[in-house]
Every structure is written in structure tokens, then in C-alpha cells.
């Protein structure tokens, strides 16, 4: 049975989609069968793995709003062992369309239940907001992985997300765990970045991954080429960071 991990942070610009794409790709390249579910209407995870959807392509909107067959939405990517359920701008209206639907918080959980046994790991790339689709993702997930940018205000975003997770645990998904915190966009030249790393490691009670994701131009360039950084430039610091993160992630999950 596949493990479902939501990658979430209510603060935007923290490297959430970048983490989703590249961690999923790294885990896939280490031999695991992996699925990304793109639940952001900007569809950056979809384009970031090189998937260009056709007009008749079934996507996550069709699954959660119209109840289409999830297996029909799965698209293989260029990365071995990595598939994606794409997103589209149609997802913007999903909150309104589902507002009067019974059990609306469980729509994505139904989608995930139909396909998770096909994979070792399912990563859900979440919106940087607490709308119905993000609640759906947290309801469907076994755990939450939280990217935190190495800047001061990112710590505020983490605190708010913790409150949200507590609400979900207390009301909808009592089994939801925090997978851990990943520190992103680290620049060793900046005193603030070092301070944030120190503060997080000292005060955050949840697991903090040892691997730091450094600022790296190749990580920034790779989405424009429709590739995870591991395919775009496997020798880059960014690619090495994400391979190390994937190895750490698998060690923690498979030594349990």
C-alpha cells in the first residue's frame, strides 16, 4: 500500500512545488514507483515534469469535481518510475462547485484510495492557501512534508500550518502525521539563512531533515525545460541535494 505525502505550506514561495517535483523524481530514480498529484491550478508541477496536457486530458479537477476514473488521469513522465495526475486552471472553481456537496472534504481521499496501491509513494503538491482543495489533500494524506525557506517570515508560515494540521487531525484525519520539515533555498553566505537553520533545529519539535536544499541556478532553470533537476543537470548541487534528501526520506520510511 502506497504512502501518501502532502507537500504543503500556507506561505507561498518556499520551494513547495520545487520540492514536490524533485523529491518525487529522486525517489523514483532510486527505484520506487512514484506518483505526483498536482492539486494547484497553476499546474506548475505538471509543466515542471514536462507534461503538456491536451484539451481532452482528464485532470485532478475532473476527478474531485466530476468523479472521473483516476486511472484515466495518470500520465507517465520522462523520469523512470514517475507518473503524474496533472492539474489545470479549471481547479480554481472547485471550491465553489463543491460547496454544497456532501462529504466534500473527502473527494480527493476517494481518488487516492483508488490508485495508491499502484505506487510506493504518492506526493500531493498543495496550494499555498487553506481552501477546500488543500483540506482535501490533507484529508487524503498519511503525512505532511513542510518546506521552509531559510528566511525569517517562513517560520511564521510554519506556525500557521501547524495550527491547520491540528484542526485537520482533530476533525477529519486523526491519523495525519508530520513527515518533517525540509529547509529550502539555503544560502550559506547569508547570516539570516544560518540563523533560521539554527532556530528551526533548536526549536521545532517535529523531525527536521538533515539535508539542506541550497539555492542553485540549475534548480531554478530546470522547470522551464520541463525536467526535474536530476534530469536537467545530474551533477549540479541542486540535484545532489535532492538525491540526498530522497535517500534520507527513504531511510526514515523504510527503517520503521
Amino acid at each position: 500500500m502506497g504512502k501518501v505525502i502532502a507537500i504543503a505550506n500556507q506561505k507561498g514561495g518556499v520551494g513547495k512545488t520545487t520540492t514536490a517535483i524533485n523529491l518525487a523524481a529522486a525517489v523514483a530514480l532510486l527505484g520506487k514507483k512514484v506518483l505526483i498529484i498536482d492539486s494547484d491550478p497553476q499546474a506548475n508541477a505538471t509543466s515542471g515534469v514536462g507534461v503538456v496536457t491536451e484539451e481532452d486530458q482528464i485532470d485532478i479537477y475532473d476527478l474531485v469535481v466530476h468523479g472521473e476514473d483516476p486511472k484515466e488521469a495518470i500520465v507517465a513522465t520522462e523520469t523512470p518510475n514517475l507518473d503524474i495526475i496533472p492539474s489545470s486552471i479549471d481547479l480554481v472553481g472547485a471550491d465553489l462547485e463543491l460547496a454544497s456537496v456532501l462529504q466534500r472534504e473527502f473527494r480527493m481521499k476517494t481518488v487516492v484510495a483508488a490508485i495508491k496501491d499502484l505506487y510506493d509513494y504518492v506526493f500531493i503538491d498543495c496550494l499555498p492557501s487553506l481552501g477546500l482543495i488543500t483540506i482535501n489533500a490533507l484529508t487524503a494524506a498519511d503525512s505532511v512534508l513542510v518546506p521552509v525557506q531559510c528566511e525569517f517570515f517562513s517560520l511564521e508560515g510554519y506556525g500557521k500550518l501547524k495550527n491547520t494540521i491540528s484542526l485537520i487531525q482533530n476533525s477529519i484525519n486523526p491519523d495525519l502525521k508530520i513527515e518533517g520539515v525540509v529547509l529550502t533555498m539555503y544560502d550559506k553566505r547569508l547570516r539570516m539563512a544560518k540563523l533560521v537553520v539554527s532556530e528551526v533545529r533548536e526549536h521545532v519539535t517535529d523531525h527536521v531533515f538533515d539535508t539542506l536544499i541550497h539555492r542553485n541556478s540549475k534548480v531554478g532553470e530546470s522547470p522551464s525545460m520541463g525536467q526535474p533537476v536530476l534530469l536537467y543537470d545530474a551533477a549540479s548541487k541542486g540535484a545532489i541535494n535532492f538525491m540526498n534528501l530522497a535517500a534520507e526520506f527513504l531511510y526514515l520510511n523504510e527503517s520503521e
Side-chain angles (χ1 to χ4, degrees), residues 17-27 219 222 227-230 242-243 246:
T17 297
T18 298
T19 300
I21 292 169
N22 290 296
L23 175 58
V27 171
V219 172
S222 61
Q227 292 181 317
V229 69
L230 289 137
F242 278 108
M243 283 301 288

Side-chain angles (χ1 to χ4, degrees), residues 16-79:
K16 178 182 54 58
T17 297
T18 298
T19 300
I21 292 169
N22 290 296
L23 175 58
V27 171
L29 289 170
L30 289 172
K32 303 299 179 181
K33 186 70 175 167
V34 180
L35 175 71
I36 299 172
I37 297 177
D38 188 350
S39 70
D40 187 333
Q42 294 183 84
N44 289 334
T46 301
S47 61
V49 295
V51 170
V52 179
T53 57
E54 303 294 335
E55 193 170 320
D56 60 350
Q57 170 68 46
I58 297 172
D59 59 41
I60 191 63
Y61 167 81
D62 300 300
L63 304 187
V64 298
V65 175
H66 298 303
E68 298 276 2
D69 182 358
K71 292 177 183 175
E72 297 296 317
I74 295 170
V75 180
T77 76
E78 182 183 351
T79 305

Side-chain angles (χ1 to χ4, degrees), residues 60-129:
I60 191 63
Y61 167 81
D62 300 300
L63 304 187
V64 298
V65 175
H66 298 303
E68 298 276 2
D69 182 358
K71 292 177 183 175
E72 297 296 317
I74 295 170
V75 180
T77 76
E78 182 183 351
T79 305
N81 297 321
L82 180 64
D83 296 340
I84 189 167
I85 291 180
S87 186
S88 71
I89 194 63
D90 293 339
L91 196 62
V92 167
D95 280 21
L96 287 175
E97 292 184 69
L98 293 173
S100 60
V101 175
L102 291 174
Q103 300 284 302
R104 58 187 177 271
E105 298 90 352
F106 296 89
R107 304 286 285 198
M108 195 176 297
K109 187 177 180 70
T110 300
V111 170
V112 169
I115 54 175
K116 68 178 183 178
D117 288 350
L118 302 174
Y119 296 93
D120 297 304
Y121 296 99
V122 177
F123 293 96
I124 306 176
D125 181 33
C126 297
L127 275 159
S129 64

Side-chain angles (χ1 to χ4, degrees), residues 152-236:
F152 176 75
F153 289 117
S154 291
L155 295 176
E156 292 185 357
Y158 175 69
K160 291 176 181 177
L161 181 64
K162 284 273 289 184
N163 292 336
T164 298
I165 290 169
S166 293
L167 289 172
I168 297 292
Q169 289 169 327
N170 293 332
S171 59
I172 304 173
N173 186 2
D175 296 324
L176 184 65
K177 304 287 193 302
I178 296 182
E179 186 77 25
V181 173
V182 176
L183 291 158
T184 65
M185 303 184 193
Y186 177 72
D187 187 338
K188 65 182 180 181
R189 299 169 298 179
L190 300 179
R191 182 174 175 273
M192 176 56 71
K194 294 178 181 178
L195 182 60
V196 169
V197 170
S198 176
E199 287 286 307
V200 169
R201 295 206 188 283
E202 183 176 353
H203 297 295
V204 169
T205 55
D206 302 305
H207 176 72
V208 180
F209 284 85
D210 291 332
T211 304
L212 297 174
I213 306 300
H214 293 71
R215 283 192 181 275
N216 179 254
S217 61
K218 300 301 181 182
V219 172
E221 293 166 11
S222 61
S224 66
M225 304 302 293
Q227 292 181 317
V229 69
L230 289 137
L231 297 190
Y232 179 64
D233 188 343
S236 67

